[in-house]
Amino acid sequence: MSPRFIILVLAVFVTFAPARQSSAEAKDAAALFIDGLAQRAIELMKREDLAPAQREEEVRALLNDGFEMRMIARAVLGRNWRRATAEQQSEFLVLYSDYVVKTYAKRLGAFTGQSLNVNRSVPINDKETIVQTSLQGTSGPDTRIDWRVRKIKDQPRIIDVVVEGVSMFTTQRSTYTSVIAREGVDGLIKSMREVAGRSPD
């Protein structure tokens, strides 16, 4: 993934709890969720007092609070998720979360003052909404980012991020599918362990 792509997605790695809303306001809950995430993420990215380990922990907390990681992990593996054993699924989820945390934590210093503007929300059904936003940088054209938000246990959760028409998780699925085709699920997990510096249990 390019540094710019990572910065775009990082804009929502924050903890945010939307206020209680009336039924008339409920249709905008997803947009308020994304707006709140973005604004608080910007404040996090400005912090220069965090050691690398602390930064990783902050990003991990944000990842767990903002994204539905198990659902995303399943989407990233595609049909291979069903072919994997319960043990493989569990380890992949841990390793994939580690990969995202470490990758984004390293890129925090690349923040250069972007701002995310919420343009509109488009309901898909009673549970899912696409929130359309634009990232405004210090130079160059705006970048369109669509957030797929699903209501899970009465809380909004991000299940996909689409940047200029390209899904972050679909792109990763193509990469992982290629590895599994050559080396199987165990081969993918072994490779991810090596990148994460982990040993098998």
Side-chain angles (χ1 to χ4, degrees), residues 4 7-9 11-12 30-39 115-122 129-136 141-149 158 160-165:
R4 177 169 174 75
I7 293 169
L8 301 180
V9 177
V12 296
L32 290 171
F33 172 64
I34 293 299
D35 183 60
L37 289 175
Q39 301 311 317
S115 62
L116 191 76
N117 296 325
V118 175
N119 299 324
R120 64 189 295 238
S121 58
V122 182
T129 300
I130 298 294
V131 180
Q132 297 176 353
T133 68
S134 56
L135 188 79
Q136 295 181 331
D142 294 351
T143 301
R144 175 173 171 175
I145 310 176
D146 292 345
W147 310 90
R148 192 179 186 100
V149 178
I158 296 165
D160 198 7
V161 185
V162 180
V163 180
E164 294 291 352

Side-chain angles (χ1 to χ4, degrees), residues 32-51:
L32 290 171
F33 172 64
I34 293 299
D35 183 60
L37 289 175
Q39 301 311 317
R40 295 182 65 174
I42 289 172
E43 293 305 312
L44 172 63
M45 288 187 285
K46 289 178 181 177
R47 292 187 61 182
E48 299 179 353
D49 61 319
L50 296 177

Side-chain angles (χ1 to χ4, degrees), residues 6 26 33 40-41 52 62 69-70 72 98 107 110 135 148 175:
I6 290 168
F33 172 64
R40 295 182 65 174
L62 304 176
M69 286 306 299
R70 184 174 180 83
I72 291 169
D98 276 354
R107 298 296 182 183
L135 188 79
R148 192 179 186 100
T175 300

Side-chain angles (χ1 to χ4, degrees), residues 7-24:
I7 293 169
L8 301 180
V9 177
L10 186 59
V12 296
F13 274 18
V14 295
T15 305
F16 177 71
R20 294 183 178 275
Q21 299 169 321
S22 68
S23 57

Side-chain angles (χ1 to χ4, degrees), residues 70-121:
R70 184 174 180 83
M71 185 178 295
I72 291 169
R74 291 188 62 167
V76 166
L77 277 191
R79 67 182 64 181
N80 290 301
W81 178 267
R82 294 189 297 274
R83 297 172 180 172
T85 66
E87 291 77 11
Q88 288 173 327
Q89 291 174 355
S90 179
E91 186 169 8
F92 176 77
L93 178 57
V94 171
L95 290 169
Y96 180 66
S97 296
D98 276 354
Y99 160 76
V100 174
V101 167
K102 290 181 181 295
T103 299
Y104 294 170
K106 289 179 181 178
R107 298 296 182 183
L108 278 169
F111 177 68
T112 56
Q114 293 89 349
S115 62
L116 191 76
N117 296 325
V118 175
N119 299 324
R120 64 189 295 238
S121 58

